[in-house]
Amino acid sequence: MNNTLQESNIILNVASEDKQSAIRRVGNKLVENGYVEAPYVEGMFAREESMTTYIGNGVAIPHSMPEYVQHIVKSGIVLAQYPDGVDFGNGNVAYLVIGIAGKGEEHMEVLSSIAIVCSEQENVDKLVHATTASEVIEVISQGESL
């Protein structure tokens, strides 16, 4: 997954915004960095409408519905850090919004790698308080090797 998460995919210290804007932000960054075509972002909104992508521990992982996978160019991850959080509804606040797109079989691999790293509150705390993109990559890389 290290090839998937680049410093250019990490957005630090984003001011709090609504859930739709946060999803649009990470989705548009996936488009901007060449991982997906624009329609994939619509699929991210459709996924959120059908079932929340908030996974707990202050983390949301927006991704698309299966019918939008043809818009994935290559696997990618975008991480947006929200020090003041984003309200994902039902009292769930995400401090990390991680947009993902996994090409083919890599989708579940990417999703599960991020979920494993973020299942440890200590890792989430480090990611929320990271001050550089390289710190974020280091935490995720170390978490993957657990």
Side-chain angles (χ1 to χ4, degrees):
M1 190 176 72
N2 289 334
N3 301 334
T4 320
L5 184 61
Q6 307 292 324
E7 287 193 18
S8 61
N9 300 351
I10 297 169
I11 312 162
L12 299 175
N13 290 315
V14 182
S16 190
E17 57 191 355
D18 63 43
K19 173 174 68 170
Q20 286 73 23
S21 296
I23 293 169
R24 184 173 294 108
R25 179 180 301 278
V26 296
N28 287 345
K29 188 62 125 172
L30 285 168
V31 172
E32 179 185 314
N33 290 353
Y35 297 107
V36 301
E37 298 165 340
Y40 184 84
V41 181
E42 295 168 28
M44 294 172 81
F45 287 114
R47 164 71 67 193
E48 192 64 38
E49 283 177 29
S50 73
M51 181 175 72
T52 185
T53 56
Y54 181 83
I55 64 163
N57 282 359
V59 179
I61 307 180
H63 54 287
S64 194
M65 298 289 275
E67 55 268 29
Y68 290 85
V69 298
Q70 73 266 24
H71 299 291
I72 299 173
V73 176
K74 60 184 178 182
S75 296
I77 299 170
V78 169
L79 183 146
Q81 176 200 66
Y82 290 86
D84 297 322
V86 173
D87 182 358
F88 263 73
N90 298 319
N92 297 319
V93 177
Y95 299 95
L96 299 173
V97 178
I98 307 170
I100 67 164
K103 185 92 173 145
E105 297 299 313
E106 293 175 353
H107 182 76
M108 287 310 294
E109 189 179 315
V110 170
L111 186 57
S112 87
S113 290
I114 289 292
I116 288 167
V117 170
C118 293
S119 68
E120 296 289 330
Q121 188 63 52
E122 180 183 350
N123 290 336
V124 173
D125 292 343
K126 286 179 186 174
L127 292 169
V128 169
H129 296 100
T131 56
T132 65
S134 58
E135 276 182 71
V136 170
I137 291 171
E138 185 180 330
V139 170
I140 290 176
S141 299
Q142 288 174 347
E144 281 187 308
S145 63
L146 294 177

